[in-house]
Amino acid sequence: MPQVRIIAKNFMDLVAALPAMKLDKLYESTFICEAVLRSLPPMAKRYVLQMLYIDTLITAKSMEEWLLPDGLSKHKVAIDRLLQLRVFLEVTDRKKETSYKINPKFQSNIQKYLVSGGTLPREPMPLSITVRLPTLEDLETYASEQWECFLLQLINSAQAEKLTSFSSSMIKICRENEPPKLTENGFQFLLMDTNAQLWYIIREYISTAEDRGVDPTDLISFLLELSFHTLGEAYNLNTLTDVQRIAIKDLADLGLVKLQQGRKESWFIPTKLATNLSASFTDSSSNKEGFVVVETNFRMYAYSTSKLYCEILRLFSRIEYQLPNLLVGAITKESLYNAFENGITADQVEHYQFCYYLLYLFTTLCVFCNNLIDSLLLYRIIICSDFFLNFCLFRLFVFFSKMHILELHKRYLQFQKMLQIRLGSGKPIKIELRSLLHIYTKIFHQRKYLKQHVILQGSWVDCCLKIQEPCD
Amino acid sequence: MNAASAPSKLYSDDVSLIVVLLDANPFFWASSAAAAGDSASSHHPTTTLPFSKLLNHVIPLLNSLLLLNQLNQVVLVATGVNSCGYIYDSGDGGGGSACGSVPAICSEILRRLEEFVVKDRLQGKSPDKVVATGVSSLLSGSLSLALCYIQRVFRSRARHPQPRILCLQGSPDGPEQYVAVMNAIFSAQRSMIPIDSCVMGVQHSAFLQQASYITGGVYLKPQQLDGLFQYLSAVFATDLQSRNFLQLPKPAGVDFRASCFCHKKTIDMGYVCSVCLSIFCKHHKKCSTCGSDFSQGPTDANADRKRKTSEVQP
C-alpha cells in the first residue's frame, strides 16, 4: 500500500486540486456540476441553492449574519470547500471587503438541470441486440467478486483464486506490496468500507494517469459521467472515445462495469459500484450488521463466505476451522502479538466495522494477577479506546472492588517495568494509568482515597491531579 | 416525549424525505387568478399567484431537492376540497437517475393533478359552492396522508431519511377541521417530523402557525410571490441538520386560538372539559367527547352561597 495517510473524502480533493482553468473546463458538463454539488457539505449545498438565481455579489459579512452563533465553524468549512472547488468565486473590492458570487458556468448548468434535466451522451441499447442482460443480482455478485479478487491480490497474491488480467497500470499501483506482510496503512485501507476504498484506488489511478499519457480531466469527467448511467442497462462501446475505451477495460477489472460481447456489437453494463460513485461519503451506506460473534472466552465465529474476510480476520486472530459459510477462530495472544508487530493498533481492530462484539474481550481481566503481561496487553486494547470504556465499566466494577488503589498502583509500576523489558517499547504508559484511574474514580467516586494518597509520589500526584481531564 | 423511531436510525448527513402538500383548491386559485388579473394595474401585483405560475416554482423546487442528494425522496400530495391524493412519489418507478426525465416528471404531475381535481369535484356534495373565497381545503386529510406515508417508511427499513412535511397552502383555515389538524400536529410532534408552512393566501393561517410552532418547523408568508422559488429554495430546501446552524424566518406571533367542538367557531374564551380537555363555547350539560357530567354548574354555586349567607346570619 502506498505509504500515504488515507483520508476518506479523496476524490473531490483531487478535483479541487486541479488548476483553475481545468476546473472551469470540467464544469462545462452538467453531470460534473451535479456530482460536485452532491459532494459538498450540507451547508454548502444550501448556499449554492440560495445563490443559484442571484447575479449580484453577496458580501461575506451578510452571509455570516444568517448564522446562529454555533454555526460559524460549519459555515467556514462550507465556504472553504466552495472556494476550493471554484463553485464560489471570491471578489475583493477596494474597501477590502470580500464578496462571493457563484461560478457562472456552474450556475447556468444547474439552472438548466433544474428546468429540463440532464441528458446522457448515450442511450441504453435496445433489447433486440442485447438479448439477455444479466439480472441485478448477477451483476452484484460479479461486482463483488471482481472487487474482492482485486483486494485479495493486494493482500496476498498467492491466495487469489483467479488472477484477473490487470492492466499494467493497476499493477503499478500495488507495487509497494512486494513483501507479503501488510503494513499499518494497508490494514487501515482494508478496514475502510467499499466506497472509500474504491475512491482511493480510483484516485491513485487518476494520479498515475499522466504517466500513461492520459489527461486526468478526461478521466475524471468520464468517471463522473459513468455514475449517472442507469444500473443494469447496456451501453454501446462505440459511443466511447479512445481514452474512455481504455479506461473502461481497467474499470471492468475492478468490477465497476461488466463487458459483454454480442454478435456485432459489444457493450458495457454499469454495476452498483459505478452508480454509487457520486454518492456522498458520510452516507457510507454500509449497513453491515455484526456477523462476527466473539465469546467471552475469545472464541470467534464469523458467518461469511468471503475469502477476503477470512484473510482480514487471519491478521489478528487464529482461524481454527473454515466451513463453507462459517469461520471459527480464536483471538489469542500470539495472534495479537503478530498483529501488533505488524503495526496494527488496537484501535483499528476495534474500529473494524463488524467487530461490534469484541467488547466481550473484557471479561478475562481476572487473570490480571497471574498472567500479567498478557492481560496487560489485552488491557491496552481496552484502555486505549473509549469505545470499550462505555461498555465494560460494569465488568471493571467487579474486578476493581477487590483491589486497593495503592496496591493497584504498585502493581502498575511493576507492569510498566516488565513491559519495557519484554517488548522493548519506549512508549510511556502513563497515559494508561491515567485512564485507569479515570475509570476507577468514575465508578466508585472514591475521591477520598485519592486525596489521602496524593502526596505520596511525584508521578502519582501528576496522575491524580489530571484525573479530572478526559483521557486522551 | 421520546419518539420511538427518530434519532438512532437517522443517517448522519442530509438525506431527506420531503412530503409536499400542495393546495389544489380550485376556488382559491380561481379567485387568486382573478385577483391577479385585476391587480395588474394595482399596486400589489406580487401578492397573488395563479396556479400555472405556482407550478413553475414548485417543480424546480422538487428537482432541486432531488438534485441535492442521490438518496433524497420527494412525495407530492394534493390537498383538494373534498379529498386528498398522492400525486407523485420520486421513490417508485424513478429507477436509477432522474436526469433526462424531468419533462416526463413534469407532464406526469400535471396529468395526475388534472385527474385529481376532476375527481375531487365529483366527490363534493354540492358541486358548486356559493361562497367561492371562503372554501377551505382539506388540510387535515393531506397531513394524515403525509404522516401515514412517513410512518410506513419508518417501519419498512431501519435506516431511513430524515422526514419533513412542507405545506404550500393558500386557502383559509376551516375551523371544522380543528380537531383533526391538531391531532395530526401532535402525532407529527411525537414522531419528530417538522411541518414547514408557506402561506400563499391573503391571510395568515392559524393552523399552520401552530403546526410549525409545535413541531419546530418554519412558517413563512412570502411578501413577493413571484419570487416564490427563491423563498422555497433558500428557506425550505434547507435540510434538518443545517437548520441548527442557520437563522430561519420566525413568525412575529403565533395565533393559538382554538375552535369550539360544538359549533366549530373560532373562540378566544370558552368552557373546557376537565377530563378530556374538549373546548365548548356554551355551557353544556354533558361533554360530547367523553360523556362526563357537567351537572354541578354555576347554578349550584349560587345555591351554596345563599345557604352559606343564611347560615352566617344568626
Side-chain angles (χ1 to χ4, degrees):
Chain A
M1 287 296 130
Q3 301 294 319
V4 193
R5 247 213 91 200
I6 298 176
I7 321 161
K9 287 196 190 114
N10 44 29
F11 189 77
M12 281 306 159
D13 288 345
L14 190 71
V15 173
L18 289 174
M21 266 185 45
K22 288 202 172 161
L23 204 52
D24 286 340
K25 195 160 149 271
L26 265 188
Y27 286 149
E28 284 175 16
S29 151
T30 319
F31 293 111
I32 296 186
C33 297
E34 221 185 297
V36 167
L37 181 59
R38 280 187 181 165
S39 72
L40 292 169
M43 289 275 278
K45 285 185 200 175
R46 191 222 174 229
Y47 287 151
V48 171
L49 259 197
Q50 197 164 7
M51 300 276 282
L52 194 57
Y53 282 95
I54 295 182
D55 292 322
T56 57
L57 300 171
I58 303 282
T59 59
K61 275 211 199 103
S62 63
M63 280 188 95
E64 282 173 20
E65 279 169 20
W66 298 334
L67 298 169
L68 286 175
D70 49 348
L72 196 58
S73 59
K74 291 236 167 184
H75 167 81
K76 285 210 165 79
V77 166
I79 292 285
D80 277 339
R81 194 72 184 165
L82 288 170
L83 289 174
Q84 262 180 351
L85 285 167
R86 291 184 57 81
V87 174
F88 268 24
L89 302 170
E90 199 173 356
V91 171
T92 329
D93 64 0
R94 269 168 292 153
K95 293 182 224 161
K96 303 249 179 90
E97 271 193 31
T98 45
S99 336
Y100 304 118
K101 92 173 169 149
I102 193 171
N103 184 333
K105 202 88 197 67
F106 192 86
Q107 187 179 24
S108 58
N109 272 334
I110 298 282
Q111 281 176 0
K112 253 191 278 171
Y113 176 82
L114 282 189
V115 175
S116 52
T119 38
L120 280 172
R122 56 192 70 89
E123 288 290 322
M125 290 171 64
L127 273 174
S128 53
I129 305 183
T130 53
V131 186
R132 209 176 35 117
L133 288 174
T135 64
L136 289 178
E137 288 89 25
D138 286 343
L139 266 184
E140 242 196 271
T141 33
Y142 169 78
S144 38
E145 263 174 28
Q146 289 288 96
W147 181 247
E148 275 191 19
C149 204
F150 179 73
L151 281 184
L152 269 175
Q153 276 217 345
L154 294 181
I155 303 177
N156 193 347
S157 11
Q159 283 287 329
E161 203 174 60
K162 47 175 182 167
L163 265 184
T164 57
S165 53
F166 288 142
S167 64
S168 53
S169 49
M170 285 301 191
I171 299 292
K172 212 168 161 197
I173 298 170
C174 338
R175 184 189 42 198
E176 289 89 7
N177 196 40
E178 292 319 346
K181 263 168 57 161
L182 201 57
T183 63
E184 183 173 340
N185 287 322
F187 195 66
Q188 207 177 19
F189 176 80
L190 281 179
L191 297 189
M192 290 193 310
D193 80 290
T194 317
N195 266 341
Q197 287 173 337
L198 186 63
W199 278 123
Y200 187 79
I201 295 287
I202 290 191
R203 183 176 81 148
E204 290 303 315
Y205 184 66
I206 294 178
S207 346
T208 55
E210 286 200 13
D211 305 335
R212 287 176 281 131
V214 175
D215 187 11
T217 24
D218 284 340
L219 264 185
I220 294 176
S221 57
F222 178 53
L223 279 166
L224 286 173
E225 223 176 70
L226 194 61
S227 61
F228 287 102
H229 288 64
T230 326
L231 175 65
E233 293 283 338
Y235 295 90
N236 204 330
L237 273 182
N238 60 10
T239 52
L240 299 172
T241 66
D242 291 328
V243 169
Q244 293 174 341
R245 229 174 282 202
I246 301 174
I248 213 153
K249 293 217 171 57
D250 292 333
L251 296 178
D253 287 335
L254 279 180
L256 278 157
V257 298
K258 185 174 172 118
L259 292 172
Q260 272 188 335
Q261 210 148 18
R263 253 181 285 154
K264 286 181 230 167
E265 321 261 333
S266 40
W267 55 84
F268 70 91
I269 307 168
T271 64
K272 207 160 184 201
L273 285 178
T275 50
N276 276 342
L277 270 178
S278 71
S280 70
F281 280 99
T282 44
D283 166 47
S284 58
S285 71
S286 55
N287 33 11
K288 290 186 207 159
E289 306 202 333
F291 56 91
V292 174
V293 180
V294 180
E295 289 182 343
T296 53
N297 55 357
F298 299 111
R299 287 188 70 81
M300 191 185 63
Y301 304 93
Y303 291 88
S304 158
T305 50
S306 149
K307 280 217 171 64
L308 183 64
Y309 292 147
C310 181
E311 284 303 304
I312 293 179
L313 289 174
R314 218 181 276 269
L315 288 169
F316 55 83
S317 61
R318 182 189 74 203
I319 303 283
E320 290 171 11
Y321 310 115
Q322 193 176 351
L323 303 172
N325 67 338
L326 174 66
L327 293 161
V328 180
I331 301 181
T332 63
K333 78 172 189 231
E334 288 95 8
S335 58
L336 279 178
Y337 280 175
N338 245 345
F340 290 151
E341 271 164 28
N342 283 333
I344 297 166
T345 67
D347 291 338
Q348 293 173 326
V349 171
E350 166 221 334
H351 283 304
Y352 191 33
Q353 289 215 342
F354 51 69
C355 288
Y356 291 150
Y357 305 112
L358 269 179
L359 56 97
Y360 289 122
L361 270 179
F362 212 89
T363 50
T364 56
L365 269 194
C366 37
V367 298
F368 208 91
C369 313
N370 303 329
N371 216 339
L372 305 170
I373 298 301
D374 303 334
S375 39
L376 186 69
L377 275 178
L378 283 175
Y379 199 47
R380 187 167 87 170
I381 298 178
I382 295 149
I383 287 297
C384 286
S385 55
D386 283 338
F387 177 74
F388 280 130
L389 277 181
N390 293 332
F391 290 98
C392 305
L393 289 177
F394 75 99
R395 294 283 181 184
L396 262 182
F397 188 95
V398 173
F399 171 61
F400 279 124
S401 54
K402 301 180 187 162
M403 265 189 152
H404 189 268
I405 198 166
L406 248 192
E407 201 190 312
L408 187 64
H409 178 63
K410 257 193 238 165
R411 274 182 192 268
Y412 220 104
L413 287 177
Q414 284 173 2
F415 301 160
Q416 232 176 348
K417 284 190 198 138
M418 286 173 76
L419 241 196
Q420 284 182 332
I421 296 169
R422 265 294 271 278
L423 284 191
S425 65
K427 231 186 193 178
I429 313 187
K430 203 174 179 179
I431 199 174
E432 284 142 66
L433 180 55
R434 227 191 290 164
S435 355
L436 171 68
L437 291 171
H438 190 77
I439 303 170
Y440 195 82
T441 48
K442 246 178 138 176
I443 307 171
F444 299 110
H445 308 290
Q446 289 184 6
R447 287 180 220 254
K448 49 180 182 170
Y449 276 112
L450 291 175
K451 278 186 199 153
Q452 284 172 12
H453 300 120
V454 91
I455 30 174
L456 281 177
Q457 293 168 30
S459 61
W460 180 253
V461 172
D462 277 348
C463 291
C464 288
L465 287 180
K466 288 180 189 162
I467 276 287
Q468 300 308 316
E469 285 173 347
C471 343
D472 298 339
Chain B
M1 177 200 55
N2 198 1
S5 49
S8 51
K9 297 179 196 164
L10 297 178
Y11 286 118
S12 59
D13 68 347
D14 62 330
V15 183
S16 329
L17 161 65
I18 301 121
V19 184
V20 181
L21 310 180
L22 188 60
D23 191 358
N25 183 349
F27 298 102
F28 167 71
W29 290 114
S31 64
S32 178
D38 282 342
S39 59
S41 51
S42 82
H43 56 290
H44 283 304
T46 54
T47 50
T48 49
L49 191 73
F51 193 69
S52 52
K53 298 247 177 81
L54 172 74
L55 286 181
N56 280 350
H57 296 277
V58 171
I59 294 192
L61 172 73
L62 300 183
N63 284 336
S64 56
L65 290 169
L66 290 171
L67 168 66
L68 284 181
N69 197 308
Q70 200 180 18
L71 298 166
N72 272 357
Q73 210 182 336
V74 168
V75 178
L76 185 61
V77 174
T79 318
V81 177
N82 304 306
S83 63
C84 307
Y86 293 106
I87 299 292
Y88 171 70
D89 183 352
S90 74
D92 48 51
S97 53
C99 61
S101 59
V102 168
I105 294 176
C106 203
S107 51
E108 199 197 316
I109 291 179
L110 285 174
R111 180 183 59 89
R112 290 181 79 160
L113 267 177
E114 263 191 62
E115 283 172 7
F116 170 77
V117 172
V118 167
K119 214 170 56 162
D120 185 47
R121 186 162 172 269
L122 292 173
Q123 284 186 359
K125 290 177 213 145
S126 55
D128 293 296
K129 289 223 174 97
V130 179
V131 185
T133 47
V135 175
S136 60
S137 55
L138 204 57
L139 179 63
S140 53
S142 56
L143 274 177
S144 318
L145 275 185
L147 289 168
C148 288
Y149 186 91
I150 294 176
Q151 265 302 313
R152 181 158 59 98
V153 167
F154 278 171
R155 291 181 198 198
S156 64
R157 16 191 172 137
R159 296 182 79 184
H160 49 75
Q162 298 170 8
R164 63 184 194 270
I165 298 178
L166 168 60
C167 208
L168 299 171
Q169 186 80 355
S171 326
D173 291 336
E176 67 275 4
Q177 297 177 45
Y178 175 74
V179 179
V181 170
M182 291 312 288
N183 285 339
I185 293 173
F186 290 133
S187 52
Q189 185 195 25
R190 269 203 79 102
S191 319
M192 300 198 351
I193 302 171
I195 299 180
D196 298 329
S197 349
C198 181
V199 174
M200 302 170 291
V202 176
Q203 70 282 15
H204 283 278
S205 159
F207 287 171
L208 289 177
Q209 276 180 342
Q210 290 192 48
S212 301
Y213 178 80
I214 292 175
T215 56
V218 178
Y219 173 88
L220 185 67
K221 184 171 185 303
Q223 290 151 335
Q224 294 193 299
L225 280 175
D226 54 354
L228 185 62
F229 177 74
Q230 186 64 23
Y231 287 102
L232 292 176
S233 65
V235 178
F236 295 111
T238 323
D239 59 288
L240 292 181
Q241 215 196 11
S242 306
R243 286 187 192 194
N244 297 330
F245 306 112
L246 289 165
Q247 291 196 29
L248 292 171
K250 283 198 197 73
V254 183
D255 185 354
F256 280 117
R257 280 179 306 166
S259 359
C260 74
F261 284 40
C262 41
H263 303 104
K264 315 290 183 195
K265 285 186 303 188
T266 317
I267 54 174
D268 286 326
M269 290 225 300
Y271 295 85
V272 177
C273 167
S274 48
V275 175
C276 64
L277 298 182
S278 324
I279 304 168
F280 302 103
C281 53
K282 278 198 274 220
H283 176 254
H284 287 237
K285 287 256 163 44
K286 207 169 93 135
C287 172
S288 54
T289 321
C290 63
S292 27
D293 219 4
F294 293 148
S295 48
Q296 290 174 352
T299 44
D300 289 326
N302 283 335
D304 278 335
R305 228 181 291 136
K306 278 192 193 143
R307 243 181 283 135
K308 275 188 192 150
T309 46
S310 61
E311 279 170 15
V312 166
Q313 281 173 1

